Amino acid sequence: MSNINVKSPEVQVREVRLGSITGFEGTAEELVRCARAGNLQDKTRNFSQCMGCSSRTAFCQLSMIKDAVVVNHAPVGCSGDFFGFNFTYRVGQMERNLPPTIGRYFNTNIEEKDTIFGATQKLEATIREVYTRLKPNAVFITTSCASSIIGDDVESVANSLTDELGIPVVACFCEGFRSKIWTTGFDSAYHSIVRKIVKPPRKKSNKVNIINFWGSHIFDEILKPLGYEPNYIVPFSTIADLEYISEAAATIQICPTLGTYLGAALEEIYGVPEIKAPPAYGIAGTDNWMRELGKVLDRQEEIEKIIVKEHIRVIPILEEYREKLKGKTAYVTAGASHGHALISLLKELGLSVQGAAIFHHDPVYDNGKPDSDTLLHTINTYGDVHNYNVCNKQAFELVNILNRMRPDIMIARHGGMTLWGAKLGIPTLLIGDEQFGFGYQGVLNYAERILETLDNREFVSNLAKHSSMPYTKWWLEQNPFSFLGGNVHVEVY
Amino acid sequence: MLKFIEQPRYSCAIGAQQTIVAIKRGVPILHAGPGCSAKVSDIIGQGEGYAGGNNIPCTNTGEADVVYGGEERLRNVIDGALKVIDGDLYVVLTGCTSDIVGDDVGRVTAEYQQQGVPIVFAETGGFKSNNYVSHEVVVNAIIDQYVDINYKGEKVQKNLVNVFTTVPYQDPYWNGNLEELKRVLEGIGLKVNILFGNESNGVSEWKTIPQAEFNILAGAWSGLEIVKHLEEKYGTPYLHFPYLPIGGIETTKFLREVVEFGNLDKTKAENFIKSEEEKYYSFIERTADFMLEFRYGLPRRFYTILDATYSLGFSKFLLNELGIIPAKQFIVDDTPEIYRKQIEEKFLKISDFRTSTVSFSIDGGEIQKEIRQDQQKNRALILGSGWDRDLANDIKADLLIVSAPVTYRLILNCGYAGYRGGLRAIEDIYDRVLNTYR
C-alpha cells in the first residue's frame, strides 16, 4: 500500500510509515540485514537526553518560502527557533545576492486559559490580522504539542480561512510528541505543500527539482551542460515556484532522509521521476548516481564522457590525499543518510571509520526501492562499519564512546555534538553545507578540510586541558549502551 | 485583545531550564516533549554551560506517554540522570505534554526527596507563563523543596544578603552583571549570595538563603514573587530597586538605598562610592571632549525595545549620563498588568527635567512599524535584539543588541550593570557608532 495519501491532513509518522527506528547497536551490515528481512527491532532508552522535534524540522523548510508566512499555533516557547532559522534565511539571501528580508513568523501565544477553552478563535484572528498586515501568498500553520492535546481543529480553521482569504492557508501537523524521529517534520512540511500548494502539471518542463536545505548551488554546474535547469526547493522558493514542481523532468534529493516523502509523492502523484540512486558521495557513489541521472534525463552518453573526464582530473589528486591520510581513524555522528554519505567519503579517502552514531534508521524510503538504501550502498561499496550505533542525538553515549575510541578525528553533522570531541582533545569537524561533499569535487573538498582539521590541534588540546565534564566517572566506565534495551518491535512502538 | 507574537524575545515557562543551568552544577531534568529544550537553547542559550544544551536529561514525551501517562518514564530518566550526570542539584521541569495530561510529577519527585536526593520539581508547562514568571516559580520551588529542608534554623548572619536581579540567560549579560553587583555590594561591606554564575558558590550558597539579613531585588517585576516569598517564609525584609543600575548615578543611588535599608556603616560605604565614582568619572571626563566635539554625528535620540528592568536602567543611563534624549520606549516582556502603572510612572520621572513615554507590546512587527513611522530628524540609537537589525539599518540608527535573541554578538563575561558596566556600555555604544565611518 502506498504511503502517500494527500487526502489525509496528517502525514503518517516515520515509525509507522517506514518502520524507522532510533535505537540499535551492532554492525552496519547487521542493521541492513534485519531491515531488509523486515524484522528490524527498535530499542528504547531508559535514560535519555533532549532531542529535537518535528515542529522544528517542518519550520526549517516552511520558514524560507519567500512569499509565505508561518503561524506557529503554540505557546511562545515553541517559537524559540524563529530567530535561528531567520538567521539561516538571511545568510542564504546573502549568498544568493537576494535583497535582505526578515522572516515573517508569528506565534499564537497559547496560554493557560486557552488550554481550557480552546485556541482556534485566537488562531483565526491571528491569521486574519497577519493577512491584512502582509498579504502573503500562503499561510502555513504549524501545530504544537499543546494545540494537539487540547484538540484544536486546525484543519477546519485552515480550510475556512482558505475560502475567506482566497489564498492557501495550510495546516502542517508537526507536533513534537507524535514521533521520536524529528525528520518526520520534513515529511509534514512536504505533505502540506503537496496536498495544498502543488497543482497538476500543465506541460513538462526542463527543470529538475532539487530538494535541499540551504547549501551551495552545485547542481547548476551539473545540469546546465545537460540542458536542464535546477529548481532548488523548498527554501528560497516562492509559492508560484512550488505550484508547478509537478512539471519537472526529475527530482534530485541532496539527502533521502530529507526528501524521501516529497520525492516519492511527486513521482507517484504526478509522474515526476525521482533519482533513486543514493546521493553522489565518494567516487563510486558519484559514478553510480551520475549514471542514474543520465538514464532518467536521457543523457547517458554525455554522462559517460563527464565520468571519464572527472576521473582523469580527480583521481591523481585523490591519491595524494589518501597518502597523507593513511592510517588515520575517524568517528562519525550525523543524521541517517548524510551519515552514510560521510562514512563513504571517509572510506574513500582511506581513513578507517571506527564507528558511527547515526540519529535514526529508515529501513526503506518512501519509494520502496531497495536500490535507494544508502547504508546498503555504503557497505557494498566500502565494506562494513563496526560499532554502528543508532541514537537520536544522545550525547552521553557519544561521550562514553569517544572516551574509549579516541579517534584521530570526529566528523559531525549536527550542532551540539562537536563539543564532546573537542573536550576530549579530538579534532572535530562540522560542515553545515550538505552539498560540500557532493560529487567528484566533494571528495577533494572534504579531504582538504580534514587535513586542515587534523593539522589544527592547538585549540582542542588546550580546551581539553581546561574543561570540566558533567558526566560521572561511573558512567564513563559503563558499557556505552547500558541504557539501551528492551527490544520493542516497531509496530508496537 | 489579540496577543499573538511576531519576533519572540523570550521563551515560555519551560525556559526556566536556563535558570537551573545558571546555577553551578545545577542539572535540569525535563519531563517534556522532544523539542522543548532545544528551542529554549535556541533563543536564550549562548552555550551549553556545565550541563545544559544537549546534555539535558529529558523524557522526550511520545504518543504513548500522552495516552497512558509518563510517570514511569520520568522515574527511569531521573534514575539515569542521577547516575550519569554529575550534579549538586537536579530540578525536574514539566512541559505542556505532561501538564495537560496531568502526570503527578510532584509525587514522583517526592519519592526521591524522601531518599535524600537533592531534587526539586516545578510545573513549567509552556502555556502556563513565560520564563520571566517561571524563573520565580522555579527559584521558589528550590527554596521550598531544597533550601528549606536543609535549613536547620541557623541564625541570621550579619550583613549577609541574597541578590536577585535579571533572569539568567534571558539577560544575555547575566554573568557579568552579577559579578559587578556582587563586587559593588561587597565594596559597601556586605556578604553577598549572588546565587548564579561564576561568582557564586553554587548550592552551598543557596543553603544560606534563609540566613540573610535582607534581600535585594534589582529589577522591575520578575523576582518580586521570590523576595515576597522569602519574607513570608523566613521574615527576611527586602529592598526593591526597580531596574538595573547602570553607570555612575544609578549605581551610587542603588548602593545608598542599600546602605540606608540595611543600616550599614555609612562612612565605609561612602568611601567606596567615592573611590568608584572617581575612577568612573575620570574616564567620562577624559572622553567628554569626544562626546561634545565629534562633529560627524552621534546618536541624539534612543529607542529601547527591552524588558522593563533593562528599559528603565538604560533609559536613565543614556539620558542622564550620555545626554541622549528618549524617543518612545517599548517594553517587550509581557509585563503583568499590575506592575505597568508603576513602571509608567518611573518613565514619567525619567530625569529632573523630562518625561518619556512607554508602551507595552509583545508584537515586534508592530513596534518596528511604529518606529519606522517616526520622523527621523536626527541620528537614533536603538537598544533592542537581533530582530531589530533591519529596522536600524533602514532608519540609519545605531543598534546595540541587549535583548535576546542576540545572535549577532558573542557574549562571554560582558556586563552593563554597575560602574564598570556603565563604562562598558559607553564603549560598546560608541564602538558601533564610530564603526559606521569609513
Side-chain angles (χ1 to χ4, degrees):
Chain A
M1 204 190 80
S2 166
N3 290 324
I4 316 290
N5 176 12
V6 288
K7 295 227 168 64
S8 162
E10 296 178 33
V11 72
Q12 276 190 320
V13 300
R14 282 198 187 192
E15 290 93 323
V16 176
R17 213 174 76 235
L18 306 176
S20 308
I21 61 154
T22 55
F24 174 84
E25 172 242 323
T27 73
E29 217 158 30
E30 252 177 81
L31 176 61
V32 171
R33 202 173 53 234
C34 292
R36 290 270 76 81
N39 60 356
L40 194 58
Q41 307 253 301
D42 201 2
K43 291 182 173 185
T44 52
R45 285 175 175 76
N46 273 332
F47 171 62
S48 56
Q49 289 165 310
C50 56
M51 314 190 303
C53 74
S54 293
S55 95
R56 203 161 181 235
T57 34
F59 188 73
C60 156
Q61 292 285 310
L62 300 175
S63 62
M64 292 176 217
I65 299 174
K66 292 198 289 195
D67 52 353
V69 305
V70 185
V71 175
N72 174 223
H73 187 39
V76 57
C78 292
S79 62
D81 51 0
F82 281 11
F83 195 81
F85 284 114
N86 175 59
F87 191 82
T88 306
Y89 186 31
R90 300 294 295 253
V91 172
Q93 290 165 354
M94 211 164 74
E95 284 169 351
R96 289 164 181 76
N97 291 319
L98 296 167
T101 312
I102 209 161
R104 301 307 293 259
Y105 319 132
F106 299 82
N107 172 280
T108 54
N109 196 14
I110 292 181
E111 294 176 306
E112 184 134 37
K113 59 180 184 297
D114 304 317
T115 65
I116 299 155
F117 301 111
T120 49
Q121 282 184 326
K122 207 168 181 175
L123 174 63
E124 283 173 23
T126 302
I127 295 169
R128 284 197 191 100
E129 172 61 25
V130 166
Y131 181 75
T132 315
R133 229 185 248 189
L134 296 167
K135 296 279 181 314
N137 289 332
V139 175
F140 290 94
I141 306 165
T142 56
T143 58
S144 63
C145 293
S147 71
S148 168
I149 302 177
I150 63 174
D152 273 1
D153 188 352
V154 175
E155 179 68 6
S156 296
V157 171
N159 291 340
S160 78
L161 283 167
T162 299
D163 296 339
E164 181 185 320
L165 304 176
I167 55 160
V169 177
V170 190
C172 172
F173 294 92
C174 54
E175 49 273 16
F177 70 85
R178 295 263 186 225
S179 178
K180 280 194 163 56
I181 299 163
W182 59 78
T183 46
T184 292
F186 295 126
D187 310 337
S188 304
Y190 298 144
H191 184 69
S192 65
I193 289 167
V194 171
R195 162 172 104 90
K196 294 283 186 179
I197 305 292
V198 179
K199 295 180 173 166
R202 300 157 302 187
K203 55 177 189 336
K204 279 286 155 192
S205 75
N206 72 333
K207 289 191 176 161
V208 175
N209 298 322
I210 295 159
I211 307 170
N212 78 138
F213 292 95
W214 40 75
S216 49
H217 281 181
I218 57 157
F219 292 96
D220 303 26
E221 250 176 81
I222 300 171
L223 293 172
K224 280 181 184 161
L226 302 175
Y228 287 92
E229 197 188 321
N231 180 32
Y232 295 89
I233 53 177
V234 166
F236 307 101
S237 300
T238 60
I239 291 297
D241 292 337
L242 292 171
E243 279 174 356
Y244 292 107
I245 54 178
S246 57
E247 296 178 351
T251 302
I252 289 173
Q253 305 172 27
I254 184 67
C255 168
T257 295
L258 172 71
T260 172
Y261 188 82
L262 183 54
L266 290 174
E267 177 160 321
E268 198 177 307
I269 303 169
Y270 298 114
V272 181
E274 173 194 1
I275 306 291
K276 295 184 190 66
Y281 291 93
I283 302 295
T286 304
D287 291 350
N288 181 45
W289 182 86
M290 292 287 279
R291 290 199 168 106
E292 164 134 344
L293 183 73
K295 235 185 276 169
V296 173
L297 297 182
D298 194 23
R299 296 286 188 276
Q300 275 152 298
E301 269 175 50
E302 289 92 329
I303 290 283
E304 287 306 323
K305 282 183 202 152
I306 296 172
I307 292 176
V308 172
K309 205 176 109 196
E310 285 292 275
H311 279 217
I312 294 171
R313 178 178 80 87
V314 168
I315 289 174
I317 314 173
L318 182 58
E319 287 300 339
E320 286 172 35
Y321 281 125
R322 282 183 182 142
E323 198 53 41
K324 289 181 192 160
L325 291 166
K326 214 185 224 163
K328 299 284 183 205
T329 56
Y331 191 85
V332 175
T333 176
S337 170
H338 196 72
H340 310 151
L342 293 173
I343 293 169
S344 296
L345 274 175
L346 293 167
K347 290 197 165 198
E348 183 78 75
L349 293 169
L351 284 103
S352 148
V353 178
Q354 289 179 312
I358 302 298
F359 297 155
H360 78 281
H361 190 72
D362 300 316
V364 65
Y365 294 117
D366 283 288
N367 61 33
K369 299 281 187 295
D371 300 351
S372 295
D373 186 337
T374 53
L375 185 57
L376 176 67
H377 165 77
T378 298
I379 297 166
N380 285 346
T381 317
Y382 298 103
D384 197 7
V385 183
H386 300 284
N387 306 308
Y388 191 94
N389 170 22
V390 176
C391 81
N392 37 17
K393 211 178 174 185
Q394 298 299 305
F396 75 110
E397 286 180 3
L398 183 76
V399 174
N400 184 315
I401 294 166
L402 288 176
N403 189 41
R404 283 153 206 272
M405 283 194 182
R406 303 275 169 173
D408 292 315
I409 188 166
M410 176 166 102
I411 311 278
R413 162 72 181 143
H414 279 238
M417 306 304 268
T418 55
L419 184 64
W420 296 109
K423 277 193 168 190
L424 293 166
I426 300 161
T428 301
L429 174 64
L430 180 143
I431 291 181
D433 179 352
E434 72 285 356
Q435 310 193 13
F436 181 78
F438 201 94
Y440 298 107
Q441 183 58 37
V443 183
L444 305 183
N445 292 346
Y446 247 92
E448 191 57 35
R449 288 298 298 276
I450 289 171
L451 281 173
E452 275 174 19
T453 309
L454 286 171
D455 184 44
N456 188 353
R457 302 194 63 98
E458 286 82 349
F459 174 71
V460 286
S461 306
N462 192 45
L463 181 67
K465 236 185 274 172
H466 297 284
S467 54
S468 60
M469 177 64 79
Y471 294 98
T472 57
K473 273 207 184 98
W474 176 86
W475 169 241
L476 295 177
E477 286 160 6
Q478 304 305 303
N479 175 325
F481 306 106
S482 312
F483 287 95
L484 185 66
N487 282 19
V488 182
H489 198 281
V490 286
E491 278 163 350
V492 296
Y493 196 71
Chain B
M1 198 189 85
L2 270 179
K3 270 192 80 179
F4 68 80
I5 298 177
E6 183 173 7
Q7 303 173 359
R9 293 155 198 256
Y10 53 82
S11 187
C12 65
I14 209 169
Q17 76 170 42
Q18 295 303 105
T19 296
I20 310 306
V21 174
I23 299 173
K24 240 179 213 172
R25 293 171 56 79
V27 180
I29 298 174
L30 304 194
H31 184 32
C36 303
S37 176
K39 287 186 176 186
V40 171
S41 301
D42 274 351
I43 187 160
I44 50 171
Q46 297 154 35
E48 297 209 335
Y50 174 69
N54 292 279
N55 304 300
I56 295 178
C58 178
T59 53
N60 296 316
T61 310
E63 188 113 44
D65 305 318
V66 170
V67 179
Y68 303 110
E71 291 175 21
E72 202 42 48
R73 172 103 195 108
L74 175 62
R75 277 192 194 92
N76 285 337
V77 170
I78 294 174
D79 286 339
L82 296 175
K83 287 181 183 163
V84 172
I85 313 274
D86 189 10
D88 290 341
L89 177 67
Y90 299 81
V91 180
V92 180
L93 301 174
T94 57
C96 292
T97 48
S98 58
D99 277 358
I100 300 178
V101 170
D103 285 346
D104 194 345
V105 177
R107 195 185 61 202
V108 174
T109 314
E111 292 164 15
Y112 293 89
Q113 289 170 339
Q114 277 151 19
Q115 295 161 33
V117 175
I119 192 167
V120 166
F121 96 99
E123 280 189 9
T124 52
F127 56 85
K128 290 203 181 241
S129 64
N130 62 37
N131 57 316
Y132 286 100
V133 175
S134 66
H135 170 72
E136 299 177 315
V137 172
V138 167
V139 169
N140 282 342
I142 298 174
I143 290 164
D144 293 343
Q145 299 169 47
Y146 177 73
V147 173
D148 198 56
I149 289 166
N150 286 286
Y151 177 53
K152 306 276 182 286
E154 290 92 342
K155 276 196 312 206
V156 165
Q157 286 185 42
K158 179 114 185 76
N159 290 346
L160 179 68
V161 292
N162 303 310
V163 177
F164 300 93
T165 175
T166 55
V167 179
Y169 286 98
Q170 172 62 43
D171 170 12
Y173 304 92
W174 65 279
N175 200 92
N177 286 342
L178 293 176
E179 236 180 82
E180 172 70 354
L181 289 178
K182 179 167 171 151
R183 187 186 74 86
V184 296
L185 289 169
E186 282 178 348
I188 57 168
L190 290 169
K191 278 185 282 183
V192 180
N193 284 338
I194 205 72
L195 305 170
F196 301 96
N198 287 350
E199 287 299 305
S200 157
N201 280 322
V203 294
S204 64
E205 194 177 281
W206 281 72
K207 285 182 187 169
T208 62
I209 284 178
Q211 298 173 48
E213 206 181 333
F214 60 101
N215 293 323
I216 298 171
L217 170 66
W221 59 272
S222 175
L224 266 173
E225 291 302 322
I226 303 171
V227 288
K228 283 182 187 163
H229 185 61
L230 287 170
E231 185 174 51
E232 275 168 32
K233 195 165 188 117
Y234 302 118
T236 321
Y238 68 87
L239 166 69
H240 181 199
F241 189 82
Y243 47 90
L244 190 70
I246 300 171
I249 300 170
E250 295 305 327
T251 308
T252 296
K253 187 169 170 228
F254 168 67
L255 293 179
R256 286 194 177 129
E257 280 186 27
V258 174
V259 170
E260 195 62 39
F261 187 87
N263 205 11
L264 304 178
D265 179 341
K266 280 210 174 71
T267 322
K268 188 181 173 189
E270 284 303 325
N271 283 341
F272 175 75
I273 289 171
K274 185 162 176 273
S275 106
E276 286 293 313
E277 282 194 348
E278 259 172 32
K279 272 183 279 180
Y280 177 83
Y281 284 107
S282 76
F283 292 107
I284 306 265
E285 195 185 348
R286 238 185 261 170
T287 25
D289 52 341
F290 158 76
M291 293 177 211
L292 293 164
E293 291 178 2
F294 186 77
R295 50 187 81 187
Y296 306 102
L298 293 177
R300 285 157 62 193
R301 288 172 302 136
F302 67 88
Y303 297 94
T304 56
I305 309 171
L306 301 173
D307 63 26
T309 295
Y310 260 104
S311 183
L312 266 168
F314 258 112
S315 293
K316 286 187 167 277
F317 172 73
L318 293 173
L319 174 61
N320 296 317
E321 300 216 36
L322 296 182
I324 308 175
I325 306 292
K328 195 167 176 184
Q329 316 308 315
F330 298 88
I331 291 180
V332 292
D333 60 10
D334 201 13
T335 310
E337 210 57 54
I338 45 165
Y339 302 124
R340 292 189 179 185
K341 199 151 176 270
Q342 56 205 69
I343 292 168
E344 278 165 347
E345 278 165 10
K346 293 271 171 333
F347 275 101
L348 287 176
K349 291 181 283 185
I350 193 85
S351 80
D352 296 341
F353 311 107
R354 201 176 301 275
T355 65
S356 171
T357 48
V358 58
S359 82
F360 296 88
S361 170
I362 50 176
D363 184 351
E366 264 312 278
I367 293 171
Q368 289 166 355
K369 197 171 137 201
E370 197 179 327
I371 294 177
R372 281 171 199 276
Q373 282 163 354
D374 276 4
Q375 202 189 352
Q376 304 297 333
K377 274 197 302 200
N378 49 27
R379 189 163 175 155
L381 170 70
I382 298 172
L383 303 191
S385 77
W387 285 117
D388 303 308
R389 236 187 169 203
D390 279 0
L391 169 70
N393 279 336
D394 294 348
I395 66 168
K396 296 196 166 48
D398 300 296
L399 173 67
L400 183 70
I401 295 177
V402 178
S403 160
V406 291
T407 313
Y408 297 106
R409 292 190 73 168
L410 183 65
I411 298 153
L412 299 176
N413 199 30
C414 175
Y416 292 135
Y419 298 107
R420 289 182 181 171
L423 294 176
R424 179 66 198 256
I426 298 171
E427 288 172 345
D428 286 354
I429 289 166
Y430 289 110
D431 175 69
R432 278 153 186 77
V433 172
L434 293 173
N435 201 27
T436 60
Y437 295 95
R438 54 176 192 169

